[in-house]
Structure formats: C-alpha cells, structure tokens
Amino acid sequence: MNDLWQAFFKAISLVITLDDRLLEIVFLSLRLSLSAVGIALLIALPFGAVLALTKFPGRKILVIIINVFMGLPPVVVGLFVYLLLSRSGPFGVFGLLFTPTAMIIAQVILVVPIVTAITRQVLEELHLEYDELLRSLDVPWYRKVTALVWDARFSLTTAALAGFGRAISEVGAVMIVGGNIDHLTRVMTTAIALEARKGDLVMALALGLVLLAVALGINLFAYSITETVKRRHQ
C-alpha cells in the first residue's frame, strides 16, 4: 500500500513539474483529438442539419443507422481502418497506417455519429417548435437554418464536447491503427496501457491524472452550458 501511495505522489510530482515525456504525450493526444473533432464537426453538423430539416426517401433508415453507429465498438472501427490502410487495402499506397493521420481517421469515424445524432435531434426539435412562426414570416430556407443553428449553439457545443470526450478517451481503435509508437503515435490512453503492463505505475498514474482532469474539464464545461441553456428558457 505504501508503494502505491509513493507512486501516486511521484505521479503528481511529474504533473506539477511538467515532465517533458509526459507533456509530449499529452500534447499529441490533444492535437490528434482536437483535429479529429474539428473534421468530424465539418461532416456531422451539415449532415445532422439535413436529416433534421429535410424529408427524403430513406431518411428514417439513415437516422437508425446513425443511432446504431453511436455505439460502434472502437476495436471494430480500428480493424476497419486498419484493413483500409494496410498494404493490401485500397488506400495502402498512401502509407498512412501507424501514423497520426490513421489515428485521426479512426477518431473521426467514432465521433461523427455522436455529433450527427445530437445535431439532428436538437435541430429537429427546434424546427418543430418554430416551423409555423418561420413559415408565417416567410423566412428563406438558408436563413431558417442559420437561425436554428444559432439558437441551438449551446447544445451543439455540448455535442462537440461529447465528441471530444469520445476521441480523447479512445484506446482500442488508436492502438490498432497507430501502433503506439514512441514519439509518433503514443497518446495518453495507449501510453497508460503500456506503462501499466511494464509496471511503471508512476507514469501510468500521471497520465491517468491528466486524462481525468481533461474529462472533468469537459464535463464541467458541458454542465455550465446546460445550465446556461436552462436559464435562457426560464
């Protein structure tokens, strides 16, 4: 038990003193996850808006598929991306396997369904609420979309935070396509798994503390946004 406490305090010391190795892993994790979320938002927000505001054949099937994909097993996504990017795969010529780009692709696939589903639900509810008013004012379609997105900005920010939480905490998919290569594709989650297997509890705990702090920050930010929305509607 004493050894565990010593490891815990040493881990805190690594965080406080900003250990170079620790910072390298943390910054890589943040860079990859933020990049993945940014790309996912460019795909998911318009897609979610189209699903929410338009009617077309197959729409219900698409909505069901998106909802199912929200629970995609990360290792399955990792295997799928691995097969696509491997030398025998259709995109193997680009040499992306075991690179940060491959990890971003896997994270984007995991994040897009989450943001799309939340965007569709939020905008669809607002559309039902304001549709008659907007019709009576003869608001053009593009202005209607802009108004609904602006009104839903806090909820959409929460969707983005949910996507970031999924990306930053992912381990299975990024381990498969990234390879956990030191100084190249080793992020917080994969480093924690590796250091724990090696018996280096100090580094594993230090990374775990940072990851917990990031998760706590995301949740607090999301909570503050939710409270802001509630106050606006009171």
Side-chain angles (χ1 to χ4, degrees), residues 18 49 61 76 79 104 108 123 136 142 153 164 168 182 225:
L18 303 177
I61 295 175
V76 174
L79 178 61
I104 290 174
V108 167
L123 292 183
S136 67
Y142 69 93
R153 62 191 183 280
F164 180 73
I168 196 73
D182 197 15
I225 291 174

Side-chain angles (χ1 to χ4, degrees), residues 8 11 37 55 62 65 67 74 78 81 85 97-98 110 128 136 141 146 164 168 207 220 226 228:
F8 181 76
V37 171
K55 305 293 183 183
L62 275 177
I65 292 173
N67 289 335
V81 176
L85 301 182
L97 195 61
F98 304 134
L110 289 169
L128 291 173
S136 67
W141 189 85
T146 303
F164 180 73
I168 196 73
L207 290 166
L220 288 175
T226 303
T228 301

Side-chain angles (χ1 to χ4, degrees), residues 14-186:
L14 285 181
V15 175
I16 294 174
T17 58
L18 303 177
D19 179 77
D20 290 341
R21 184 172 166 226
L22 178 71
L23 287 180
E24 179 187 17
I25 295 171
V26 170
F27 285 144
L28 178 62
S29 300
L30 294 173
R31 179 168 62 86
L32 295 185
S33 296
L34 289 172
S35 299
V37 171
I39 296 170
L41 289 176
L42 293 176
I43 299 170
L45 291 178
F47 189 24
V50 169
L51 289 175
L53 305 177
T54 60
K55 305 293 183 183
F56 54 88
R59 175 184 173 277
K60 290 184 178 180
I61 295 175
L62 275 177
V63 170
I64 292 172
I65 292 173
I66 290 296
N67 289 335
V68 170
F69 277 20
M70 287 180 68
L72 273 176
V75 290
V76 174
V77 173
L79 178 61
F80 175 72
V81 176
Y82 180 91
L83 293 174
L84 289 177
L85 301 182
S86 64
R87 289 187 178 182
S88 57
F91 303 106
V93 293
F94 297 108
L96 297 177
L97 195 61
F98 304 134
T99 66
T101 302
M103 300 166 72
I104 290 174
I105 292 172
Q107 289 181 339
V108 167
I109 294 174
L110 289 169
V111 172
V112 163
I114 296 174
V115 179
T116 301
I118 297 175
T119 300
R120 181 203 62 81
Q121 182 177 357
V122 170
L123 292 183
E124 190 172 294
E125 291 175 354
L126 286 176
H127 185 230
L128 291 173
E129 182 178 351
Y130 296 122
D131 187 44
E132 290 187 9
L133 174 62
L134 294 173
R135 284 178 184 273
S136 67
L137 296 174
D138 197 24
V139 177
W141 189 85
Y142 69 93
R143 291 190 63 185
K144 180 192 297 185
V145 174
T146 303
L148 292 175
V149 169
W150 177 254
D151 195 59
R153 62 191 183 280
F154 293 114
S155 297
L156 296 181
T157 302
T158 302
L161 291 173
F164 180 73
R166 177 71 182 266
I168 196 73
S169 61
E170 174 46 37
V171 57
V174 296
M175 180 82 79
I176 293 173
V177 301
N180 200 19
I181 303 170
D182 197 15
H183 306 301
L184 180 63
T185 61
R186 184 164 297 168

Side-chain angles (χ1 to χ4, degrees), residues 208-226:
L209 289 172
V210 175
L211 190 57
L212 281 174
V214 171
L216 179 62
I218 293 171
N219 280 279
L220 288 175
F221 193 22
Y223 176 78
S224 66
I225 291 174
T226 303

